[in-house]
Amino acid sequence: AVEIIDEVFEYICGVLKPGLSEREVSDELTHQMKLRGASGPSFETIVASGVRSALPHGVASDKILEAGELVTIDMGAIYNGYC
């Protein structure tokens, strides 16, 4: 599960760009987890950008990522029953 998340994080760092919504990023994270063998996320994935990045449990919204702002991501995967 940890190896999957490491790979997914490396992937998403290469595709994050202004104009994507937090929800699009979250959906892509889940998609990439599943492509790598996870059955899904182990908890609701957090993607929060800009002022929302300070929220401790900021689940993804329709907010659009803007250039130069911080993006907080918290994610986990389930693989063979392990989180």
Side-chain angles (χ1 to χ4, degrees), residues 21-40:
S21 73
E22 294 172 348
R23 194 172 324 280
E24 287 173 315
V25 174
S26 179
D27 290 347
E28 183 64 14
L29 291 168
T30 299
H31 176 68
Q32 291 297 322
M33 286 178 208
K34 290 181 177 182
L35 283 177
R36 290 166 172 77
S39 57

Side-chain angles (χ1 to χ4, degrees), residues 22 46-50 52-55 58-60 63 70-73:
E22 294 172 348
I46 294 171
V47 178
S49 61
R52 296 188 73 258
S53 66
L55 298 172
V59 296
K63 183 192 174 301
L70 184 69
V71 178
T72 299
I73 295 174

Side-chain angles (χ1 to χ4, degrees), residues 6 10-12 17-18 30 32 35-37 43 55 58-59 65 67 73 77-78 82-83:
D6 284 346
E10 187 172 329
Y11 166 82
I12 207 69
K17 62 182 180 182
T30 299
Q32 291 297 322
L35 283 177
R36 290 166 172 77
F43 55 89
L55 298 172
V59 296
L65 277 61
I73 295 174
I78 300 171
Y82 289 93
C83 296

Side-chain angles (χ1 to χ4, degrees), residues 4-15 29 36 75:
I4 289 170
I5 289 303
D6 284 346
E7 289 177 18
V8 171
F9 183 73
E10 187 172 329
Y11 166 82
I12 207 69
C13 285
V15 299
L29 291 168
R36 290 166 172 77
M75 61 182 167

